[in-house]
Amino acid sequence: MVIQSRNLQKKYKVFEKHPGIVGSIKNLFHREFTENFAVQPFDLEAHRGEFIGLLGPNGAGKTSLMKMFTGITVPSGGSLQVCGHDPSKREIDFRRKIALVMGQKSQLWWDIPALDSFLLLQKYYELNEVQFQARLSEMAALLDVEKLLKIHVRKLSLGERMKMELIASLLHQPEVIFLDEPTIGLDVIAQEKLRAFLLDYHDKNDTTMVLTSHYMADVEALCDRIVLLLNGSKCFDGNIKQFEQILGKEKYLSFHFSEAVDPQNSIFSGFDPKFSHENSKVELRVPEEKLNEVSLSILQQYTVNDYHTEKLPIERVMKTLLENPEIMKTNVSTT
Amino acid sequence: MSALLSKWFQTIKISWSNLLAYRLNFFLLIIGPAFVFFFVKYNLWYSIFQGDKTILVGGYTLEQMIHYQFFTLITALIAQSSNGMKLSSDIRLGRISVFLIYPFNFWQYHCAHFLAFQSIQVIVGLLSISIFYYLGLIYNLSMTSCIYGFSFCIIVGVLWFSIQYLIGLMAFWLEETWILRVSFLTISNFLSGAIIPLELYPKWLVNGLWYTPFPYLTFVPVKVFQGQFDMVNTAFFVIVFWTFVFACISYFTWRKGLRLYTGAGM
């Protein structure tokens, strides 16, 4: 077991202040606060080689979990073991086994070339020259940044910097890697390259990876397991296929009509119809067992230029769940 | 052991690279405040003496007072640092997160950074003292007192660092620590003899001050530069004592503060 948490909790004190000058003066003598749970009792077991996606809206507790997993913050309750260590003790052995890639925070020194940072990390992780050179040249070649190693980090583009961040985090070949929104702000090409690199690294090294991202493309491409958090609580823990079917076995059915249709037609009702502006296109969410029946009746009633079906994409499942979190109360699925 | 040493040395090297990335900024940071403060004090004492070189204030002639102030400048150039500023911004902006993950501790990184900074300060101090001596602004400076003075200032630098480190750690609780830093600097400027030599203070106050770190920050190093070595041994032990006290408080403050750390900005 690489990660094991039982009833893991994190709560923060949030101070409250009444508005205006009177509130400010009152605040000097007496500060009121409430205790907010960033993470409610949370259980997780992750095995070697798993690639887990931690999903949830902003403020769901994903990053709070990452911080506890890496020992940056101390849990308020429960137990946690990562690679056989209690992260809050921050033992040196533990720190050698993990890596954290933060999309929104750089670990590289801004005013010097990335190579200088790598040389420092070589010493910190006690890598010999052969190991260091081999790993650096391999990763630099894969990420196509060999020519950028001696350029000041501040002069690199966001995509280039992110590649350097990855190299910095992987030089010591950690057993578990935490990726906190690694593709945030990157263009589509850079995102794809980063994903391909991570997937390749994961497959070659059988490393355990935990990813948080708001980009469902990251999750679909990389993760074989999804853990969904809402308001600090785990609402779902399963594979992508199970996640896609969380709203039932439904598919998206799209029709492109030759002319505008009547949106009030009862044929569309009950399937969450989304009409285009001029009512010549519609998108329906249809249970798998009704797919033929619905398609047939629409094709019989209207002249259709084009139609197609697709499974409910993860992005839409996520959007629906975030808009209607109560769904999870009736659809809790765990492995 | 050699692995640990190479971690320290590499951190010192990267700190040098970082510090010297913006050379002008860096030298202004080291030299600027000390020189501005010196010229303020120069004008203050010149006005107090009304330019009269014959009168005595607290046993000092104007020339002796300016000579004293030149040594306070040298002491400041070598010993004073602004490490606390970097530390508090590291905590406030959540930059310490990476050091909680690296197998090299945060205090080790800051100590190595301090050593890098201190080594450059020593060079700046050496250059300054050579120029002042060449221009005749300081005199009666023997090689012995120069070596003693520099060595003493480096020890004082460690004391300064331990104080600054503790103040910087307050960022776990305070949004801004500059108020603490400025307050401490202002108080220490008065109580360390950086503005007024301690001979001019009431005896009861000075007797009390000897038990505090303040006189050792400026007054004692200046006297060592001026060839008064009688208080060096006592001063050394007092500095070691206070450095140890501040280091212990910092250790417990760090442990307590870390429980409050939220890793902002991640």
Side-chain angles (χ1 to χ4, degrees), chain A residues 168-312:
Chain A
S169 300
L170 303 179
L171 272 174
H172 62 291
Q173 290 196 329
E175 289 177 26
V176 53
I177 302 166
F178 298 95
L179 302 147
D180 190 38
E181 301 189 45
T183 54
I184 195 164
L186 302 185
D187 63 53
V188 183
I189 306 289
Q191 282 184 28
E192 274 180 8
K193 281 185 180 167
L194 222 62
R195 279 182 213 127
F197 174 80
L198 283 171
L199 212 52
D200 182 58
Y201 186 90
H202 175 257
D203 292 346
K204 277 184 187 158
N205 297 282
D206 200 23
T207 314
T208 309
M209 293 191 175
V210 181
L211 165 89
T212 73
S213 177
H214 288 292
Y215 299 133
M216 290 306 117
D218 287 351
V219 180
E220 278 191 297
L222 300 170
C223 304
D224 39 43
R225 180 176 164 194
I226 287 176
V227 173
L228 177 68
L229 282 160
L230 290 174
N231 295 321
S233 298
K234 185 164 81 174
C235 296
F236 174 85
D237 187 347
N239 61 38
I240 289 210
K241 197 164 177 61
Q242 289 170 314
F243 187 77
E244 283 165 352
Q245 293 176 350
I246 208 167
L247 300 179
K249 290 182 176 175
E250 293 175 319
K251 287 200 171 180
Y252 266 90
L253 198 50
S254 302
F255 289 91
H256 192 167
F257 303 104
S258 59
E259 56 190 23
V261 297
D262 175 16
Q264 304 304 322
N265 190 332
S266 62
I267 201 167
F268 302 117
S269 58
F271 301 116
D272 189 20
K274 300 269 188 306
F275 285 92
S276 65
H277 181 61
E278 63 281 8
N279 293 332
S280 64
K281 284 181 197 170
V282 70
E283 200 174 68
L284 306 170
R285 213 172 75 208
V286 183
E288 264 180 8
E289 63 273 14
K290 287 191 173 179
L291 208 60
N292 285 342
E293 183 192 330
V294 174
S295 308
L296 205 62
S297 40
I298 292 175
L299 287 167
Q300 282 171 347
Q301 225 172 86
Y302 295 106
T303 311
V304 175
N305 287 345
D306 184 27
Y307 82 100
H308 67 272
T309 61
E310 59 172 317
K311 65 181 180 182
L312 206 58

Side-chain angles (χ1 to χ4, degrees), chain A residues 45-60:
Chain A
E45 284 183 357
H47 299 91
R48 185 177 165 83
E50 276 194 291
F51 206 135
I52 300 174
L54 271 183
L55 305 186
N58 291 330

Side-chain angles (χ1 to χ4, degrees), chain A residues 67-81:
Chain A
K67 288 175 188 170
M68 288 192 282
F69 287 160
T70 50
I72 290 174
T73 59
V74 181
S76 309
S79 67
L80 176 64
Q81 290 279 306

